[in-house]
Amino acid sequence: MDETLIEAVKQWNIDASLPLQVGDFTLIFSFEPDGKGEETIFAYKNEKKGWTVRALYNDGSGDFSVRVDIGMLEFSLIEFITDDFDAFRSMTEERLPAIIESHYVHAEKDFNVIMKQKGVPDGDWESLLPAKYAGFRRTVDPTCAVRIINGSYMVAAYYDGVTQSGLAVMYNFLRDDFFAERRVHNFPNLVHDFDSTSVDELRGALRERLCPVLDEIRDKAERKAL
């Protein structure tokens, strides 16, 4: 980032241009350019869940972007990618707080028709999905499923931020199926115990396999840490 751009970013009155709080997300202004890869301009952080939404500048590509980290997955919001600082500033001021509100604070407002017709958020999930298990904390359940990428919602997630390990169950509304991914020290791979095409099938798989799979992930995370 050249000196002119650094000065332009420093002159951006972020705490006056963006809300200091969006739901449980708190604005953190943390611009300290070092010319080494990605520079964080500011971030919204949800301390309770460990989620972040970061505004970034990439020294290599010269692009600005917004990157979302929800523990079990990290991805960019492609609509914010630009090499024009003025355009990026305008987009983030006008659109980012509303996106955080609808996508990650009140995610139920972001359900599409297919999700609703499928019945994913309906019924009693609380008794099926414990709030905590084996050191993992539930960060997502079907009543507040989070829209992610590639036509999918994350409908359930358990995560341990210390080991960067956990389990996420997704619903792809383009394929109309459920699938899952586990992470052990942030290394991902698919787990097929929860592959299903109906909500009833998914409930049955979670009832039978959720705790055993989380036990396996915990065991692998502990053995890998030794």
Side-chain angles (χ1 to χ4, degrees):
M1 184 180 290
D2 63 35
E3 292 300 323
T4 301
L5 190 52
I6 289 173
E7 188 58 31
V9 174
K10 286 182 176 179
Q11 293 301 316
W12 184 9
N13 197 3
I14 291 172
D15 57 355
S17 304
L18 292 167
L20 302 180
Q21 200 79 25
V22 181
D24 289 335
F25 287 83
T26 301
L27 178 63
I28 301 169
F29 181 66
S30 56
F31 182 58
E32 296 178 1
D34 58 15
K36 299 177 182 177
E38 287 186 336
E39 316 273 10
T40 298
I41 299 171
F42 68 85
Y44 277 98
K45 185 167 185 178
N46 183 323
E47 290 284 356
K48 183 178 179 181
K49 291 186 174 181
W51 293 1
T52 59
V53 180
R54 294 181 295 148
L56 303 170
Y57 176 78
N58 188 297
D59 275 296
S61 65
D63 287 334
F64 295 91
S65 63
V66 172
R67 193 157 184 83
V68 178
D69 182 349
I70 54 173
M72 281 298 297
L73 186 65
E74 189 172 351
F75 55 94
S76 293
L77 300 178
I78 59 174
E79 62 265 42
F80 288 94
I81 298 174
T82 179
D83 61 1
D84 184 325
F85 171 66
D86 289 333
F88 182 73
R89 179 176 58 190
S90 177
M91 283 191 294
T92 54
E93 290 179 359
E94 292 175 6
R95 300 174 57 194
L96 187 57
I99 286 175
I100 294 173
E101 176 79 24
S102 63
H103 286 27
Y104 315 117
V105 176
H106 296 293
E108 69 280 0
K109 296 180 180 179
D110 195 40
F111 293 169
N112 65 16
V113 173
I114 298 173
M115 270 276 289
K116 294 177 181 178
Q117 290 178 340
K118 188 73 173 178
V120 174
D122 300 338
D124 175 24
W125 289 101
E126 193 68 25
S127 62
L128 187 61
L129 301 172
K132 295 181 181 178
Y133 181 80
F136 297 102
R137 184 163 50 90
R138 188 187 70 210
T139 57
V140 177
D141 69 65
T143 65
C144 58
V146 178
R147 188 190 291 261
I148 47 175
I149 54 176
N150 300 327
S152 293
Y153 284 85
M154 185 179 292
V155 300
Y158 284 85
Y159 191 64
D160 172 19
V162 175
T163 63
Q164 294 184 294
S165 303
L167 173 72
V169 180
M170 274 76 72
Y171 171 63
N172 186 284
F173 57 81
L174 302 177
R175 299 193 309 263
D176 189 24
D177 64 7
F178 297 94
F179 64 101
E181 178 183 282
R182 71 178 185 183
R183 286 180 180 263
V184 177
H185 291 279
N186 210 35
F187 186 81
N189 66 279
L190 292 176
V191 53
H192 295 288
D193 300 60
F194 308 100
D195 290 356
S196 47
T197 57
S198 73
V199 173
D200 286 342
E201 283 182 313
L202 177 63
R203 285 179 178 275
L206 288 167
R207 190 175 295 110
E208 295 294 325
R209 295 297 300 156
L210 176 61
C211 292
V213 169
L214 288 175
D215 285 334
E216 291 170 8
I217 296 170
R218 171 58 63 201
D219 181 61
K220 288 180 180 293
E222 289 178 349
R223 286 193 282 113
K224 192 169 182 179
L226 295 177

mmCIF file with all atom_site columns, all heavy atoms in Angstrom, residues 9-29:
data_model
loop_
_atom_site.group_PDB
_atom_site.id
_atom_site.type_symbol
_atom_site.label_atom_id
_atom_site.label_alt_id
_atom_site.label_comp_id
_atom_site.label_asym_id
_atom_site.label_entity_id
_atom_site.label_seq_id
_atom_site.pdbx_PDB_ins_code
_atom_site.Cartn_x
_atom_site.Cartn_y
_atom_site.Cartn_z
_atom_site.occupancy
_atom_site.B_iso_or_equiv
_atom_site.pdbx_formal_charge
_atom_site.auth_seq_id
_atom_site.auth_comp_id
_atom_site.auth_asym_id
_atom_site.auth_atom_id
_atom_site.pdbx_PDB_model_num
ATOM 1   N N   . VAL A 1 9  ? -6.722  5.999   3.840  1.00 0.00 ? 9  VAL A N   1
ATOM 2   C CA  . VAL A 1 9  ? -7.381  5.084   4.783  1.00 0.00 ? 9  VAL A CA  1
ATOM 3   C C   . VAL A 1 9  ? -7.365  5.670   6.187  1.00 0.00 ? 9  VAL A C   1
ATOM 4   O O   . VAL A 1 9  ? -8.355  5.604   6.922  1.00 0.00 ? 9  VAL A O   1
ATOM 5   C CB  . VAL A 1 9  ? -6.702  3.699   4.756  1.00 0.00 ? 9  VAL A CB  1
ATOM 6   C CG1 . VAL A 1 9  ? -7.285  2.797   5.847  1.00 0.00 ? 9  VAL A CG1 1
ATOM 7   C CG2 . VAL A 1 9  ? -6.859  3.044   3.388  1.00 0.00 ? 9  VAL A CG2 1
ATOM 8   N N   . LYS A 1 10 ? -6.233  6.281   6.564  1.00 0.00 ? 10 LYS A N   1
ATOM 9   C CA  . LYS A 1 10 ? -6.138  6.877   7.902  1.00 0.00 ? 10 LYS A CA  1
ATOM 10  C C   . LYS A 1 10 ? -7.113  8.032   8.078  1.00 0.00 ? 10 LYS A C   1
ATOM 11  O O   . LYS A 1 10 ? -7.592  8.287   9.197  1.00 0.00 ? 10 LYS A O   1
ATOM 12  C CB  . LYS A 1 10 ? -4.708  7.354   8.158  1.00 0.00 ? 10 LYS A CB  1
ATOM 13  C CG  . LYS A 1 10 ? -3.713  6.227   8.417  1.00 0.00 ? 10 LYS A CG  1
ATOM 14  C CD  . LYS A 1 10 ? -2.326  6.782   8.716  1.00 0.00 ? 10 LYS A CD  1
ATOM 15  C CE  . LYS A 1 10 ? -1.356  5.672   9.081  1.00 0.00 ? 10 LYS A CE  1
ATOM 16  N NZ  . LYS A 1 10 ? 0.007   6.183   9.364  1.00 0.00 ? 10 LYS A NZ  1
ATOM 17  N N   . GLN A 1 11 ? -7.408  8.720   6.993  1.00 0.00 ? 11 GLN A N   1
ATOM 18  C CA  . GLN A 1 11 ? -8.341  9.850   7.064  1.00 0.00 ? 11 GLN A CA  1
ATOM 19  C C   . GLN A 1 11 ? -9.806  9.411   7.062  1.00 0.00 ? 11 GLN A C   1
ATOM 20  O O   . GLN A 1 11 ? -10.701 10.219  7.298  1.00 0.00 ? 11 GLN A O   1
ATOM 21  C CB  . GLN A 1 11 ? -8.097  10.801  5.884  1.00 0.00 ? 11 GLN A CB  1
ATOM 22  C CG  . GLN A 1 11 ? -6.756  11.532  5.927  1.00 0.00 ? 11 GLN A CG  1
ATOM 23  C CD  . GLN A 1 11 ? -6.605  12.380  7.181  1.00 0.00 ? 11 GLN A CD  1
ATOM 24  O OE1 . GLN A 1 11 ? -7.521  13.092  7.588  1.00 0.00 ? 11 GLN A OE1 1
ATOM 25  N NE2 . GLN A 1 11 ? -5.444  12.288  7.816  1.00 0.00 ? 11 GLN A NE2 1
ATOM 26  N N   . TRP A 1 12 ? -10.036 8.132   6.809  1.00 0.00 ? 12 TRP A N   1
ATOM 27  C CA  . TRP A 1 12 ? -11.399 7.602   6.815  1.00 0.00 ? 12 TRP A CA  1
ATOM 28  C C   . TRP A 1 12 ? -11.902 7.581   8.258  1.00 0.00 ? 12 TRP A C   1
ATOM 29  O O   . TRP A 1 12 ? -11.387 6.855   9.103  1.00 0.00 ? 12 TRP A O   1
ATOM 30  C CB  . TRP A 1 12 ? -11.386 6.208   6.222  1.00 0.00 ? 12 TRP A CB  1
ATOM 31  C CG  . TRP A 1 12 ? -12.732 5.550   6.060  1.00 0.00 ? 12 TRP A CG  1
ATOM 32  C CD1 . TRP A 1 12 ? -13.960 6.114   6.231  1.00 0.00 ? 12 TRP A CD1 1
ATOM 33  C CD2 . TRP A 1 12 ? -12.956 4.186   5.685  1.00 0.00 ? 12 TRP A CD2 1
ATOM 34  N NE1 . TRP A 1 12 ? -14.951 5.199   5.992  1.00 0.00 ? 12 TRP A NE1 1
ATOM 35  C CE2 . TRP A 1 12 ? -14.368 4.002   5.642  1.00 0.00 ? 12 TRP A CE2 1
ATOM 36  C CE3 . TRP A 1 12 ? -12.124 3.123   5.372  1.00 0.00 ? 12 TRP A CE3 1
ATOM 37  C CZ2 . TRP A 1 12 ? -14.940 2.781   5.307  1.00 0.00 ? 12 TRP A CZ2 1
ATOM 38  C CZ3 . TRP A 1 12 ? -12.694 1.913   5.027  1.00 0.00 ? 12 TRP A CZ3 1
ATOM 39  C CH2 . TRP A 1 12 ? -14.073 1.736   4.996  1.00 0.00 ? 12 TRP A CH2 1
ATOM 40  N N   . ASN A 1 13 ? -12.901 8.344   8.538  1.00 0.00 ? 13 ASN A N   1
ATOM 41  C CA  . ASN A 1 13 ? -13.424 8.469   9.894  1.00 0.00 ? 13 ASN A CA  1
ATOM 42  C C   . ASN A 1 13 ? -14.385 7.300   10.167 1.00 0.00 ? 13 ASN A C   1
ATOM 43  O O   . ASN A 1 13 ? -15.602 7.459   10.218 1.00 0.00 ? 13 ASN A O   1
ATOM 44  C CB  . ASN A 1 13 ? -14.137 9.815   10.053 1.00 0.00 ? 13 ASN A CB  1
ATOM 45  C CG  . ASN A 1 13 ? -14.336 10.175  11.504 1.00 0.00 ? 13 ASN A CG  1
ATOM 46  O OD1 . ASN A 1 13 ? -13.905 9.458   12.406 1.00 0.00 ? 13 ASN A OD1 1
ATOM 47  N ND2 . ASN A 1 13 ? -15.009 11.285  11.739 1.00 0.00 ? 13 ASN A ND2 1
ATOM 48  N N   . ILE A 1 14 ? -13.795 6.124   10.362 1.00 0.00 ? 14 ILE A N   1
ATOM 49  C CA  . ILE A 1 14 ? -14.567 4.891   10.403 1.00 0.00 ? 14 ILE A CA  1
ATOM 50  C C   . ILE A 1 14 ? -15.563 4.865   11.554 1.00 0.00 ? 14 ILE A C   1
ATOM 51  O O   . ILE A 1 14 ? -16.728 4.493   11.388 1.00 0.00 ? 14 ILE A O   1
ATOM 52  C CB  . ILE A 1 14 ? -13.615 3.679   10.467 1.00 0.00 ? 14 ILE A CB  1
ATOM 53  C CG1 . ILE A 1 14 ? -12.877 3.543   9.132  1.00 0.00 ? 14 ILE A CG1 1
ATOM 54  C CG2 . ILE A 1 14 ? -14.374 2.388   10.779 1.00 0.00 ? 14 ILE A CG2 1
ATOM 55  C CD1 . ILE A 1 14 ? -11.776 2.502   9.130  1.00 0.00 ? 14 ILE A CD1 1
ATOM 56  N N   . ASP A 1 15 ? -15.122 5.257   12.743 1.00 0.00 ? 15 ASP A N   1
ATOM 57  C CA  . ASP A 1 15 ? -16.019 5.153   13.893 1.00 0.00 ? 15 ASP A CA  1
ATOM 58  C C   . ASP A 1 15 ? -17.182 6.135   13.832 1.00 0.00 ? 15 ASP A C   1
ATOM 59  O O   . ASP A 1 15 ? -18.157 5.987   14.576 1.00 0.00 ? 15 ASP A O   1
ATOM 60  C CB  . ASP A 1 15 ? -15.253 5.305   15.207 1.00 0.00 ? 15 ASP A CB  1
ATOM 61  C CG  . ASP A 1 15 ? -14.479 6.603   15.302 1.00 0.00 ? 15 ASP A CG  1
ATOM 62  O OD1 . ASP A 1 15 ? -14.457 7.357   14.307 1.00 0.00 ? 15 ASP A OD1 1
ATOM 63  O OD2 . ASP A 1 15 ? -13.888 6.868   16.359 1.00 0.00 ? 15 ASP A OD2 1
ATOM 64  N N   . ALA A 1 16 ? -17.099 7.120   12.946 1.00 0.00 ? 16 ALA A N   1
ATOM 65  C CA  . ALA A 1 16 ? -18.223 8.036   12.738 1.00 0.00 ? 16 ALA A CA  1
ATOM 66  C C   . ALA A 1 16 ? -19.064 7.613   11.534 1.00 0.00 ? 16 ALA A C   1
ATOM 67  O O   . ALA A 1 16 ? -20.229 8.001   11.420 1.00 0.00 ? 16 ALA A O   1
ATOM 68  C CB  . ALA A 1 16 ? -17.733 9.466   12.547 1.00 0.00 ? 16 ALA A CB  1
ATOM 69  N N   . SER A 1 17 ? -18.477 6.806   10.650 1.00 0.00 ? 17 SER A N   1
ATOM 70  C CA  . SER A 1 17 ? -19.157 6.404   9.417  1.00 0.00 ? 17 SER A CA  1
ATOM 71  C C   . SER A 1 17 ? -19.883 5.079   9.545  1.00 0.00 ? 17 SER A C   1
ATOM 72  O O   . SER A 1 17 ? -20.786 4.782   8.760  1.00 0.00 ? 17 SER A O   1
ATOM 73  C CB  . SER A 1 17 ? -18.143 6.301   8.265  1.00 0.00 ? 17 SER A CB  1
ATOM 74  O OG  . SER A 1 17 ? -17.428 7.504   8.094  1.00 0.00 ? 17 SER A OG  1
ATOM 75  N N   . LEU A 1 18 ? -19.482 4.265   10.515 1.00 0.00 ? 18 LEU A N   1
ATOM 76  C CA  . LEU A 1 18 ? -20.071 2.944   10.708 1.00 0.00 ? 18 LEU A CA  1
ATOM 77  C C   . LEU A 1 18 ? -20.569 2.814   12.140 1.00 0.00 ? 18 LEU A C   1
ATOM 78  O O   . LEU A 1 18 ? -19.987 3.401   13.056 1.00 0.00 ? 18 LEU A O   1
ATOM 79  C CB  . LEU A 1 18 ? -19.019 1.853   10.441 1.00 0.00 ? 18 LEU A CB  1
ATOM 80  C CG  . LEU A 1 18 ? -18.539 1.711   8.993  1.00 0.00 ? 18 LEU A CG  1
ATOM 81  C CD1 . LEU A 1 18 ? -17.282 0.844   8.937  1.00 0.00 ? 18 LEU A CD1 1
ATOM 82  C CD2 . LEU A 1 18 ? -19.630 1.102   8.119  1.00 0.00 ? 18 LEU A CD2 1
ATOM 83  N N   . PRO A 1 19 ? -21.631 2.043   12.378 1.00 0.00 ? 19 PRO A N   1
ATOM 84  C CA  . PRO A 1 19 ? -22.117 1.863   13.750 1.00 0.00 ? 19 PRO A CA  1
ATOM 85  C C   . PRO A 1 19 ? -21.077 1.140   14.602 1.00 0.00 ? 19 PRO A C   1
ATOM 86  O O   . PRO A 1 19 ? -20.394 0.225   14.130 1.00 0.00 ? 19 PRO A O   1
ATOM 87  C CB  . PRO A 1 19 ? -23.373 1.023   13.566 1.00 0.00 ? 19 PRO A CB  1
ATOM 88  C CG  . PRO A 1 19 ? -23.248 0.375   12.238 1.00 0.00 ? 19 PRO A CG  1
ATOM 89  C CD  . PRO A 1 19 ? -22.461 1.325   11.386 1.00 0.00 ? 19 PRO A CD  1
ATOM 90  N N   . LEU A 1 20 ? -20.954 1.534   15.850 1.00 0.00 ? 20 LEU A N   1
ATOM 91  C CA  . LEU A 1 20 ? -19.985 0.913   16.744 1.00 0.00 ? 20 LEU A CA  1
ATOM 92  C C   . LEU A 1 20 ? -20.415 -0.490  17.159 1.00 0.00 ? 20 LEU A C   1
ATOM 93  O O   . LEU A 1 20 ? -19.575 -1.300  17.563 1.00 0.00 ? 20 LEU A O   1
ATOM 94  C CB  . LEU A 1 20 ? -19.788 1.785   17.994 1.00 0.00 ? 20 LEU A CB  1
ATOM 95  C CG  . LEU A 1 20 ? -19.311 3.218   17.740 1.00 0.00 ? 20 LEU A CG  1
ATOM 96  C CD1 . LEU A 1 20 ? -19.158 3.960   19.061 1.00 0.00 ? 20 LEU A CD1 1
ATOM 97  C CD2 . LEU A 1 20 ? -17.988 3.217   16.970 1.00 0.00 ? 20 LEU A CD2 1
ATOM 98  N N   . GLN A 1 21 ? -21.699 -0.761  17.045 1.00 0.00 ? 21 GLN A N   1
ATOM 99  C CA  . GLN A 1 21 ? -22.225 -2.063  17.433 1.00 0.00 ? 21 GLN A CA  1
ATOM 100 C C   . GLN A 1 21 ? -23.278 -2.501  16.423 1.00 0.00 ? 21 GLN A C   1
ATOM 101 O O   . GLN A 1 21 ? -24.149 -1.714  16.032 1.00 0.00 ? 21 GLN A O   1
ATOM 102 C CB  . GLN A 1 21 ? -22.858 -1.976  18.830 1.00 0.00 ? 21 GLN A CB  1
ATOM 103 C CG  . GLN A 1 21 ? -23.023 -3.295  19.548 1.00 0.00 ? 21 GLN A CG  1
ATOM 104 C CD  . GLN A 1 21 ? -21.724 -3.786  20.170 1.00 0.00 ? 21 GLN A CD  1
ATOM 105 O OE1 . GLN A 1 21 ? -20.837 -2.992  20.481 1.00 0.00 ? 21 GLN A OE1 1
ATOM 106 N NE2 . GLN A 1 21 ? -21.599 -5.091  20.336 1.00 0.00 ? 21 GLN A NE2 1
ATOM 107 N N   . VAL A 1 22 ? -23.192 -3.750  15.962 1.00 0.00 ? 22 VAL A N   1
ATOM 108 C CA  . VAL A 1 22 ? -24.242 -4.361  15.142 1.00 0.00 ? 22 VAL A CA  1
ATOM 109 C C   . VAL A 1 22 ? -24.591 -5.685  15.815 1.00 0.00 ? 22 VAL A C   1
ATOM 110 O O   . VAL A 1 22 ? -23.832 -6.654  15.719 1.00 0.00 ? 22 VAL A O   1
ATOM 111 C CB  . VAL A 1 22 ? -23.790 -4.602  13.691 1.00 0.00 ? 22 VAL A CB  1
ATOM 112 C CG1 . VAL A 1 22 ? -24.928 -5.220  12.881 1.00 0.00 ? 22 VAL A CG1 1
ATOM 113 C CG2 . VAL A 1 22 ? -23.316 -3.310  13.034 1.00 0.00 ? 22 VAL A CG2 1
ATOM 114 N N   . GLY A 1 23 ? -25.692 -5.711  16.531 1.00 0.00 ? 23 GLY A N   1
ATOM 115 C CA  . GLY A 1 23 ? -25.997 -6.893  17.324 1.00 0.00 ? 23 GLY A CA  1
ATOM 116 C C   . GLY A 1 23 ? -24.887 -7.140  18.327 1.00 0.00 ? 23 GLY A C   1
ATOM 117 O O   . GLY A 1 23 ? -24.494 -6.243  19.073 1.00 0.00 ? 23 GLY A O   1
ATOM 118 N N   . ASP A 1 24 ? -24.354 -8.360  18.329 1.00 0.00 ? 24 ASP A N   1
ATOM 119 C CA  . ASP A 1 24 ? -23.245 -8.708  19.215 1.00 0.00 ? 24 ASP A CA  1
ATOM 120 C C   . ASP A 1 24 ? -21.880 -8.421  18.588 1.00 0.00 ? 24 ASP A C   1
ATOM 121 O O   . ASP A 1 24 ? -20.847 -8.785  19.169 1.00 0.00 ? 24 ASP A O   1
ATOM 122 C CB  . ASP A 1 24 ? -23.319 -10.199 19.594 1.00 0.00 ? 24 ASP A CB  1
ATOM 123 C CG  . ASP A 1 24 ? -24.477 -10.499 20.531 1.00 0.00 ? 24 ASP A CG  1
ATOM 124 O OD1 . ASP A 1 24 ? -24.906 -9.569  21.242 1.00 0.00 ? 24 ASP A OD1 1
ATOM 125 O OD2 . ASP A 1 24 ? -24.948 -11.650 20.547 1.00 0.00 ? 24 ASP A OD2 1
ATOM 126 N N   . PHE A 1 25 ? -21.860 -7.805  17.421 1.00 0.00 ? 25 PHE A N   1
ATOM 127 C CA  . PHE A 1 25 ? -20.602 -7.475  16.752 1.00 0.00 ? 25 PHE A CA  1
ATOM 128 C C   . PHE A 1 25 ? -20.158 -6.065  17.142 1.00 0.00 ? 25 PHE A C   1
ATOM 129 O O   . PHE A 1 25 ? -20.930 -5.109  17.036 1.00 0.00 ? 25 PHE A O   1
ATOM 130 C CB  . PHE A 1 25 ? -20.751 -7.552  15.234 1.00 0.00 ? 25 PHE A CB  1
ATOM 131 C CG  . PHE A 1 25 ? -20.838 -8.948  14.686 1.00 0.00 ? 25 PHE A CG  1
ATOM 132 C CD1 . PHE A 1 25 ? -22.054 -9.622  14.681 1.00 0.00 ? 25 PHE A CD1 1
ATOM 133 C CD2 . PHE A 1 25 ? -19.712 -9.588  14.190 1.00 0.00 ? 25 PHE A CD2 1
ATOM 134 C CE1 . PHE A 1 25 ? -22.145 -10.918 14.172 1.00 0.00 ? 25 PHE A CE1 1
ATOM 135 C CE2 . PHE A 1 25 ? -19.793 -10.873 13.684 1.00 0.00 ? 25 PHE A CE2 1
ATOM 136 C CZ  . PHE A 1 25 ? -21.009 -11.548 13.678 1.00 0.00 ? 25 PHE A CZ  1
ATOM 137 N N   . THR A 1 26 ? -18.907 -5.949  17.577 1.00 0.00 ? 26 THR A N   1
ATOM 138 C CA  . THR A 1 26 ? -18.343 -4.665  17.998 1.00 0.00 ? 26 THR A CA  1
ATOM 139 C C   . THR A 1 26 ? -17.301 -4.208  16.982 1.00 0.00 ? 26 THR A C   1
ATOM 140 O O   . THR A 1 26 ? -16.445 -5.001  16.552 1.00 0.00 ? 26 THR A O   1
ATOM 141 C CB  . THR A 1 26 ? -17.683 -4.795  19.381 1.00 0.00 ? 26 THR A CB  1
ATOM 142 O OG1 . THR A 1 26 ? -18.665 -5.221  20.328 1.00 0.00 ? 26 THR A OG1 1
ATOM 143 C CG2 . THR A 1 26 ? -17.099 -3.466  19.836 1.00 0.00 ? 26 THR A CG2 1
ATOM 144 N N   . LEU A 1 27 ? -17.359 -2.932  16.602 1.00 0.00 ? 27 LEU A N   1
ATOM 145 C CA  . LEU A 1 27 ? -16.409 -2.371  15.651 1.00 0.00 ? 27 LEU A CA  1
ATOM 146 C C   . LEU A 1 27 ? -15.041 -2.201  16.291 1.00 0.00 ? 27 LEU A C   1
ATOM 147 O O   . LEU A 1 27 ? -14.909 -1.645  17.384 1.00 0.00 ? 27 LEU A O   1
ATOM 148 C CB  . LEU A 1 27 ? -16.913 -1.020  15.148 1.00 0.00 ? 27 LEU A CB  1
ATOM 149 C CG  . LEU A 1 27 ? -16.013 -0.265  14.161 1.00 0.00 ? 27 LEU A CG  1
ATOM 150 C CD1 . LEU A 1 27 ? -15.847 -1.054  12.859 1.00 0.00 ? 27 LEU A CD1 1
ATOM 151 C CD2 . LEU A 1 27 ? -16.575 1.124   13.871 1.00 0.00 ? 27 LEU A CD2 1
ATOM 152 N N   . ILE A 1 28 ? -14.013 -2.690  15.601 1.00 0.00 ? 28 ILE A N   1
ATOM 153 C CA  . ILE A 1 28 ? -12.630 -2.551  16.058 1.00 0.00 ? 28 ILE A CA  1
ATOM 154 C C   . ILE A 1 28 ? -11.830 -1.914  14.931 1.00 0.00 ? 28 ILE A C   1
ATOM 155 O O   . ILE A 1 28 ? -11.756 -2.456  13.825 1.00 0.00 ? 28 ILE A O   1
ATOM 156 C CB  . ILE A 1 28 ? -12.009 -3.918  16.413 1.00 0.00 ? 28 ILE A CB  1
ATOM 157 C CG1 . ILE A 1 28 ? -12.823 -4.600  17.523 1.00 0.00 ? 28 ILE A CG1 1
ATOM 158 C CG2 . ILE A 1 28 ? -10.557 -3.759  16.848 1.00 0.00 ? 28 ILE A CG2 1
ATOM 159 C CD1 . ILE A 1 28 ? -12.446 -6.050  17.738 1.00 0.00 ? 28 ILE A CD1 1
ATOM 160 N N   . PHE A 1 29 ? -11.265 -0.756  15.182 1.00 0.00 ? 29 PHE A N   1
ATOM 161 C CA  . PHE A 1 29 ? -10.430 -0.067  14.184 1.00 0.00 ? 29 PHE A CA  1
ATOM 162 C C   . PHE A 1 29 ? -8.988  -0.476  14.435 1.00 0.00 ? 29 PHE A C   1
ATOM 163 O O   . PHE A 1 29 ? -8.428  -0.191  15.484 1.00 0.00 ? 29 PHE A O   1
ATOM 164 C CB  . PHE A 1 29 ? -10.603 1.450   14.300 1.00 0.00 ? 29 PHE A CB  1
ATOM 165 C CG  . PHE A 1 29 ? -9.798  2.224   13.288 1.00 0.00 ? 29 PHE A CG  1
ATOM 166 C CD1 . PHE A 1 29 ? -10.087 2.123   11.938 1.00 0.00 ? 29 PHE A CD1 1
ATOM 167 C CD2 . PHE A 1 29 ? -8.762  3.046   13.688 1.00 0.00 ? 29 PHE A CD2 1
ATOM 168 C CE1 . PHE A 1 29 ? -9.352  2.838   10.996 1.00 0.00 ? 29 PHE A CE1 1
ATOM 169 C CE2 . PHE A 1 29 ? -8.022  3.767   12.751 1.00 0.00 ? 29 PHE A CE2 1
ATOM 170 C CZ  . PHE A 1 29 ? -8.317  3.657   11.404 1.00 0.00 ? 29 PHE A CZ  1
#
